[in-house]
Amino acid sequence: MTGVQTCALPIYLILVDDIPVYYIGHLGSFISIFDLNSINKVKLYKSGFPAKYSGFLSSILDVRLKDGNQKKIEGEFSIGIVSSKLSLNGPIIKDKLSFVLTIRECNLSFIEAIYNRFQKNNYKIPTYNFYDFNSKINYNLSKFDKIDISLYKGQDRNVLKINDFDGFMYFSNVKADETINNSWGNNLVSARWTHIFSSSLFQKIIIGYTSFKYKNTVEEKIKLVEFDSTTISSINNLEYNSQIQDVIAKLDYDYQLNSNNKINFGLNFVSHFYKPASISAMSTSKSANQLTYKFEQKRQNTQEMNLYVDYNFYSNIINAFVGLNYNLYYNQNFWQQIQPHIALVLFPTKKVSINL
């Protein structure tokens, strides 16, 4: 049986329309879950993180999905060696309501299926497949209000089948068929309302959900031939699950004092639901009673709240980014901490910059 994966919070943060996504790779992370046709802009923080991003150490990637064309329908279809893709976007109500839709499917499973069809050996190569589904709806309520809803669903699946495996577990009188199925993937929903108070003050309310799930199943069909030619058969099933789920609410304000001074402040709330490991096993045989086994690690539900304020100053000589984050964390007990953030960029000359 292949090794199992567990879900854990990473030290980096990747956001899709303000909602975290936990796993961003296909095919051993050689292919990203992000499609270029669905991305509007990307911002990468390698250091000097703003105070609104609390609790992460490595880097922060902020991805914004593009809005649909409000004037006309656009589309693209492509077929590649690894994957095929269909992309559509355009107006539902002209100048008012628009959509974006992108679907990508892996082509490798077709190639693997053809190969295994003509493979005489009982050891087949694993069948691997993945897909991505992106969609976004934008609605202009008024000149000062906008609502957008983003959806993402993606999954990887790897299946290995071994037929008529002689000498199973080193016993010559045993034959077995075995199927190993691994799957993992993300689900994400983001709903945002943006309100413009004035040319210098913006408000954004975000409600979202994100999850990452890993599942591993093994099915064994075993035939045991005794020395008196008696055949004993059994079916063994094993299933392993692990999952993270987050429910998120955010309130953000951007206030542009003038061309040199900007303030961001707001409130973030996250409820984490952890399912570390759930294992179930079952063995059935005509000659014996059904055996079952279940084990589940204790599920955890934790709450996290952040209050933050960021001040940004820009000039030809120095850029200063100063922030403060108050973090309150609850899991049977309360923990709290204050996190200061300071980043300075000095420009002694036009060709030299010093970062602190």
Side-chain angles (χ1 to χ4, degrees), residues 140 142-146 193-204 253-254:
N140 295 327
S142 68
K143 184 179 178 180
F144 305 102
D145 296 277
K146 177 185 174 184
W193 170 38
T194 304
H195 176 69
I196 302 174
F197 289 101
S198 67
S199 60
S200 58
L201 181 60
F202 298 81
Q203 172 191 269
K204 188 163 58 176
Y253 289 92
D254 290 353

Side-chain angles (χ1 to χ4, degrees), residues 35 37 73-81 83-89 101-107 110:
D35 178 70
N37 287 344
I73 296 286
E74 299 176 326
E76 179 184 342
F77 177 71
S78 63
I79 299 177
I81 297 175
S83 64
S84 299
K85 179 181 64 179
L86 172 65
S87 179
L88 292 171
N89 81 91
L101 176 65
T102 304
I103 302 172
R104 181 171 59 172
E105 180 80 21
C106 179
N107 296 333
F110 298 106

Side-chain angles (χ1 to χ4, degrees), residues 211-243:
S211 71
F212 173 76
K213 183 177 182 180
Y214 173 80
K215 183 178 181 180
N216 173 245
T217 61
V218 179
E219 182 184 63
E220 297 174 342
K221 296 180 180 179
I222 300 176
K223 292 182 180 180
L224 171 63
V225 181
E226 298 287 5
F227 295 105
D228 58 358
S229 298
T230 302
T231 300
I232 301 173
S233 61
S234 66
I235 299 176
N236 304 321
N237 291 280
L238 175 67
E239 182 174 307
Y240 171 90
N241 288 282
S242 183
Q243 188 174 16

Side-chain angles (χ1 to χ4, degrees), residues 68-73 90-91 94-95:
N69 191 320
Q70 295 190 348
K71 301 295 184 181
K72 62 179 181 178
I73 296 286
K94 198 170 183 180
D95 297 324

Side-chain angles (χ1 to χ4, degrees), residues 8 48 53 125 138 189 233 286 289 311-312 322 325:
Y53 305 115
I125 64 172
N138 306 97
V189 180
S233 61
K286 293 182 180 179
N289 294 328
Y311 168 69
N312 301 334
V322 181
N325 188 303

Side-chain angles (χ1 to χ4, degrees), residues 334-356:
F334 283 99
W335 288 270
Q336 60 181 344
Q337 60 177 269
I338 295 177
Q339 303 173 357
H341 294 249
I342 300 175
L344 300 176
V345 183
L346 306 176
F347 303 99
T349 68
K350 292 183 179 181
K351 296 184 179 181
V352 177
S353 65
I354 300 173
N355 293 269
L356 172 63

Side-chain angles (χ1 to χ4, degrees), residues 1 8 46 60 74 124 204 220 225 238 259 264 294 305 316:
M1 184 177 67
K46 296 188 292 183
I60 295 167
E74 299 176 326
K124 309 297 183 182
K204 188 163 58 176
E220 297 174 342
V225 181
L238 175 67
S259 59
N264 304 108
K294 289 187 177 181
M305 185 185 73
N316 295 328

Side-chain angles (χ1 to χ4, degrees), residues 24 42 50 53 56 63 72 80 117 150 186 195 232 326 344:
I24 62 164
V42 177
Y53 305 115
F56 294 89
V63 179
K72 62 179 181 178
R117 179 74 177 177
S150 304
N186 299 282
H195 176 69
I232 301 173
Y326 170 73
L344 300 176

